[in-house]
Structure formats: structure tokens, C-alpha cells
């Protein structure tokens, strides 16, 4: 099994920055994609960024493009989401997950959903 532990969320003023971390443990394939998802109150979960574990091709949702950066540190088994110029619309619980071709596939990610980390942006 792959265990995921998100951290780094918090309360931040609009325009501020946060860096989220997703620590992965267990067995997984480095050729798969890893992604960050978020779910705001009353809304469906959406993918905001994805990357190949080895640090290859990246994908960003239009709503975060230019503001968020996804990266990996394979030596530490960690996926990061650097969030800049945060807006109130970014308020959500953020989750990480993994799967195959996350940016283009209609299939759900492979991992189970953890508890996520709360990001709250105040105006």
C-alpha cells in the first residue's frame, strides 16, 4: 500500500504563499503521476496540478497556472505544491494522490484519499 500524508496548510492572507508537502511511503512506481487535488466546501474535488514522480511533464489547472508549482524530491519521497499569489478562491482542503496519466485520464487516481491539509485564504 501507498500511504500519503499531506501537510503545510494553514491560514494565509490573500497574496501570500504556502508550500504543501505530501510524504509518500510504501511501494509505488516512479513512472506514475502524482497530483494535488482540492475540494472546497460544497464543491467537487478537482485536480490542480500533476507531475511525473521523476520530475517530468507537469500539468496545471487553468485556475492556478502561473501561481502554483508542483515538484518532487524522489530522495525524500515527497511531492510539493508551492502556492503563490493565493486568492480566497484557493480556500479548500488539499489532497495528494497518484495514478496513471492524471492530467489526461478520465480514470480516478489509484490511491485512497487521506485527510488532506486545509488551506484558508483570507481577503
Amino acid at each position: 500500500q501507498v500511504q500519503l500524508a499531506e501537510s503545510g496548510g494553514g491560514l494565509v492572507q490573500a497574496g501570500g504563499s504556502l508550500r504543501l508537502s505530501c510524504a509518500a511511503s510504501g511501494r509505488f512506481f516512479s513512472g506514475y503521476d502524482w497530483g494535488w487535488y482540492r475540494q472546497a466546501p460544497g464543491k467537487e474535488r478537482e485536480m490542480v496540478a500533476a507531475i511525473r514522480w521523476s520530475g517530468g511533464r507537469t500539468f496545471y489547472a487553468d485556475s492556478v497556472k502561473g501561481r502554483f508549482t508542483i515538484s518532487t524530491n524522489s530522495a525524500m519521497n515527497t511531492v510539493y505544491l508551492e502556492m503563490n499569489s493565493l486568492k480566497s478562491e484557493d480556500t479548500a482542503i488539499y489532497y495528494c494522490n497518484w495514478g496513471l496519466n492524471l492530467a489526461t485520464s478520465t480514470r480516478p487516481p489509484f490511491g485512497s484519499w487521506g485527510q488532506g491539509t486545509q488551506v484558508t485564504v483570507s481577503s
Side-chain angles (χ1 to χ4, degrees):
Q1 297 184 45
V2 177
Q3 305 294 325
L4 307 174
E6 301 98 338
S7 62
L11 175 64
V12 65
Q13 290 281 99
S17 300
L18 285 173
R19 188 181 74 165
L20 307 184
S21 298
C22 174
S25 61
R27 299 174 180 174
F28 57 91
F29 297 103
S30 61
Y32 284 178
D33 289 353
W34 287 78
W36 282 97
Y37 301 75
R38 68 185 182 188
Q39 186 168 27
K43 296 186 177 180
E44 295 184 352
R45 184 184 291 110
E46 62 174 339
M47 185 176 66
V48 297
I51 191 172
R52 193 62 52 87
W53 179 257
S54 59
R57 183 182 301 173
T58 57
F59 166 84
Y60 298 96
D62 188 64
S63 59
V64 308
K65 189 175 297 183
R67 300 187 297 118
F68 291 10
T69 302
I70 187 171
S71 62
T72 64
N73 187 323
S74 59
M76 298 183 65
N77 289 345
T78 304
V79 183
Y80 302 97
L81 185 68
E82 184 74 30
M83 305 186 296
N84 300 306
S85 301
L86 283 163
K87 307 174 181 179
S88 60
E89 304 95 282
D90 297 318
T91 295
I93 301 176
Y94 284 72
Y95 306 86
C96 64
N97 215 315
W98 60 280
L100 182 63
N101 298 321
L102 294 180
T104 58
S105 179
T106 59
R107 293 184 288 271
F110 294 165
S112 59
W113 298 106
Q115 65 180 29
T117 185
Q118 176 72 51
V119 172
T120 303
V121 183
S122 61
S123 300

